Amino acid sequence: MKTVIGNWKMNVGVRESIALARGTLLTLRGRKVVPNLIICPSFIALSEVRKVIARSSVSLCAQNMSWEDKGAFTGEISSRMLDEVGVTHVLIGHSERRGLFSETDEIVNRKLKKALENNLTPIVCIGESVEHREEGGYLEIIKNQIASALGGIRLRSSAKLFIAYEPIWAIGTGKNADVAQVIEVHEFIKTVLSDIFPGIKEDQLNVLYGGSVNGDNAYALLREKSIDGVLVGGASVKINQFKDVIEAASEVLEAQE
Ligand code: 13P
């Protein structure tokens, strides 16, 4: 299976989110094979988007969550609250949260533990800066990010975990990592994960790529075995572009049948 996730970030309000969710559903019409499709509206649009995608195969994802269940944490949203509005997946440690909102590896780890405890499927985002890419130390950075995010984590046999490799230099820049660069890192991530979770079922761990994914580059990325899916930002809020990405994923799946 291939997964396509649309991270709408803080780009669309409630009305536009409803329209975008409807548009996303339309892109699935008449297709024999469709990817595992997940959309991430802002918190305030989750309930309305849920109504639109009810009875479809599309899943609802939050862009962030608190590491606490409840209490005096003004402005925060807990995983239990997300569950209440039909959220099944959550992005954790996006580089925008790490870079702009001071999320540390320790916070990422606490959020991940809480998400798993409350049966949300986490999508943990990792990725190196341009400096680390140029210096050549990026694999080390990635290994450290995974080790600290997953410290003390045990995955139940029914639980799934997504790791999204999103190199910071590729996010919102129009300059995606090329296929060979993504394969190198994904194979590395899979080796690191199999050391951490020996004997785990293959479908429990998925490694996605994110960073300037669009209709032009999605097919070349998705047809690779080590790329289990894509995490799409800018192109996911432009329905024609997102449609092209979904189409690319469907074509890859059809070719594999
Ligand atoms: P862009 O697709 O806009 O580069 O964003 C990627 C991203 O951050 C998805 O989480």
Side-chain angles (χ1 to χ4, degrees):
M1 184 40 86
K2 297 284 178 182
T3 297
V4 174
I5 306 184
N7 175 10
W8 298 352
K9 307 193 178 183
M10 202 178 73
N11 286 314
V12 280
V14 179
R15 267 196 304 271
E16 268 183 286
S17 295
I18 293 169
L20 204 48
R22 287 188 181 136
T24 303
L25 282 188
L26 285 178
T27 67
L28 301 179
R29 274 238 182 116
R31 285 191 193 289
K32 280 203 304 285
V33 224
V34 291
N36 177 26
L37 189 56
I38 302 170
I39 50 180
C40 321
S42 62
F43 286 132
I44 54 160
L46 287 169
S47 294
E48 290 299 322
V49 168
R50 180 201 196 181
K51 291 180 201 160
V52 177
I53 62 172
R55 291 182 297 278
S56 79
S57 60
V58 179
S59 304
L60 194 58
C61 180
Q63 297 176 16
N64 184 27
M65 56 169 266
S66 168
W67 64 79
E68 296 285 351
D69 277 331
K70 66 183 294 187
F73 302 101
T74 303
E76 290 293 293
I77 307 272
S78 74
S79 48
R80 287 187 187 169
M81 294 171 183
L82 295 174
D83 177 56
E84 203 180 319
V85 294
V87 167
T88 51
H89 295 68
V90 61
L91 298 182
I92 294 178
H94 191 283
S95 66
E96 286 150 16
R97 297 225 49 92
R98 293 177 191 255
L100 302 170
F101 302 100
S102 312
E103 269 190 23
T104 60
D105 285 333
E106 192 211 336
I107 291 176
V108 170
N109 178 254
R110 289 176 78 177
K111 290 184 175 186
L112 178 56
K113 284 181 177 150
K114 186 53 76 179
L116 289 168
E117 186 185 313
N118 288 330
N119 298 319
L120 290 181
T121 299
I123 297 141
V124 178
C125 305
I126 57 170
E128 80 282 2
S129 64
V130 70
E131 292 80 17
H132 286 124
R133 169 59 61 171
E134 283 167 1
E135 275 165 19
Y138 52 95
L139 293 180
E140 199 57 30
I141 295 290
I142 283 160
K143 189 174 179 178
N144 291 340
Q145 285 176 336
I146 296 174
S148 41
L150 301 189
I153 297 287
R154 290 195 25 230
L155 268 193
R156 281 195 289 261
S157 61
S158 58
K160 278 192 181 201
L161 171 68
F162 289 82
I163 299 288
Y165 169 54
E166 297 205 299
I168 296 167
W169 47 272
I171 296 179
T173 57
K175 184 180 178 302
N176 64 291
D178 65 38
V179 175
Q181 287 173 320
V182 180
I183 291 174
E184 182 202 27
V185 176
H186 278 214
E187 286 180 352
F188 178 74
I189 292 173
K190 289 187 180 213
T191 311
V192 172
L193 291 175
S194 61
D195 287 346
I196 297 176
F197 301 112
I200 196 155
K201 290 191 299 251
E202 207 180 303
D203 71 341
Q204 283 187 269
L205 298 172
N206 284 275
V207 184
L208 314 177
Y209 168 75
S212 298
V213 174
N214 56 37
D216 295 333
N217 54 35
Y219 187 87
L221 290 160
L222 285 163
R223 74 173 171 200
E224 296 300 330
K225 189 174 180 303
S226 65
I227 303 177
D228 299 314
V230 285
L231 175 50
V232 189
S236 70
V237 288
K238 298 189 189 86
I239 197 62
N240 284 335
Q241 290 190 27
F242 199 44
K243 178 172 181 273
D244 290 346
V245 175
I246 293 168
E247 213 157 73
S250 302
E251 280 167 21
V252 167
L253 290 168
E254 273 163 28
Q256 285 174 352
E257 278 200 332

